[in-house]
Amino acid sequence: MKPIHLATLAVATSTACSAFATQYLTVEQAQQVMFPDATAFKDANLQLSVEQMRQVEKLAGEPARSASWRVFAAYKGEAQLGYVVLDDVVGKFELISYAVALNPDASIKQIEILAYRESHGFEIKSPAWRKQFVGKTASSGLSIGDGISSISGATLSCTHVTDGVRRIAAIAQVMLKK
């Protein structure tokens, strides 16, 4: 085989592998979708202490995974509307980027899928599946089979996003609840 053919094959293969990646929303777009009345979003990044990480793990039933979390507080004038927390979880092989909007009481307002990079399981983007999270807290039905249904063909994506949202709900309970 000539070297030019190998280079062409390498380019075709790398293109085919990334052809499934879809960027649905930027962070700024997600903020506006989740808090349409907001006039400002301010950095409110969190740094969890060791004790807070233990509390999160206990509430979520999952490792806290990180002490640092990217968070934005949503405001309408001087009134705080809630928070937007950004996270990534592994689907089957690739990262799923998503955002969770939280009310001031630490309940889930909304979730949005920002980017999906897997070849299967993109159905988690459906409004019907994401709507299952609305109103839930760290202690109320945030598990597959207990308040959240799975989607056939997207089992790992559903499970991992649900676990991530439960972790964020626990962080909200520990760090953000008013």
Side-chain angles (χ1 to χ4, degrees), residues 17-98:
C17 292
S18 63
F20 299 110
T22 303
Q23 177 79 34
Y24 294 110
L25 296 168
T26 65
V27 170
E28 293 78 17
Q29 289 168 332
Q31 289 171 336
Q32 290 301 314
V33 166
M34 294 190 288
F35 288 102
D37 295 337
T39 55
F41 291 91
K42 299 178 183 176
D43 284 339
N45 293 334
L46 296 176
Q47 185 68 35
L48 281 66
S49 68
V50 172
E51 179 54 34
Q52 289 165 332
M53 288 181 73
R54 284 189 195 117
Q55 291 173 351
V56 167
E57 289 176 10
K58 184 177 179 183
L59 278 170
E62 299 278 332
R65 201 186 76 209
S66 177
S68 300
W69 289 84
R70 190 164 173 210
V71 180
F72 297 92
Y75 289 90
K76 182 175 183 179
E78 296 298 315
Q80 187 174 352
L81 302 175
Y83 298 94
V84 175
V85 181
L86 304 177
D87 193 22
D88 297 294
V89 292
V90 175
K92 184 173 183 178
F93 302 112
E94 304 294 338
L95 289 178
I96 301 168
S97 299
Y98 66 102

Side-chain angles (χ1 to χ4, degrees), residues 76-138:
K76 182 175 183 179
E78 296 298 315
Q80 187 174 352
L81 302 175
Y83 298 94
V84 175
V85 181
L86 304 177
D87 193 22
D88 297 294
V89 292
V90 175
K92 184 173 183 178
F93 302 112
E94 304 294 338
L95 289 178
I96 301 168
S97 299
Y98 66 102
V100 178
L102 299 158
N103 294 307
D105 68 355
S107 65
I108 295 169
K109 180 181 188 308
Q110 187 172 342
I111 72 166
E112 290 292 335
I113 305 301
L114 305 180
Y116 194 83
R117 299 167 183 92
E118 297 282 0
S119 61
H120 293 59
F122 59 86
E123 296 88 351
I124 65 167
K125 174 73 171 95
S126 91
W129 188 76
R130 292 180 295 112
K131 188 177 179 180
Q132 298 177 91
F133 293 89
V134 175
K136 301 222 190 285
T137 65

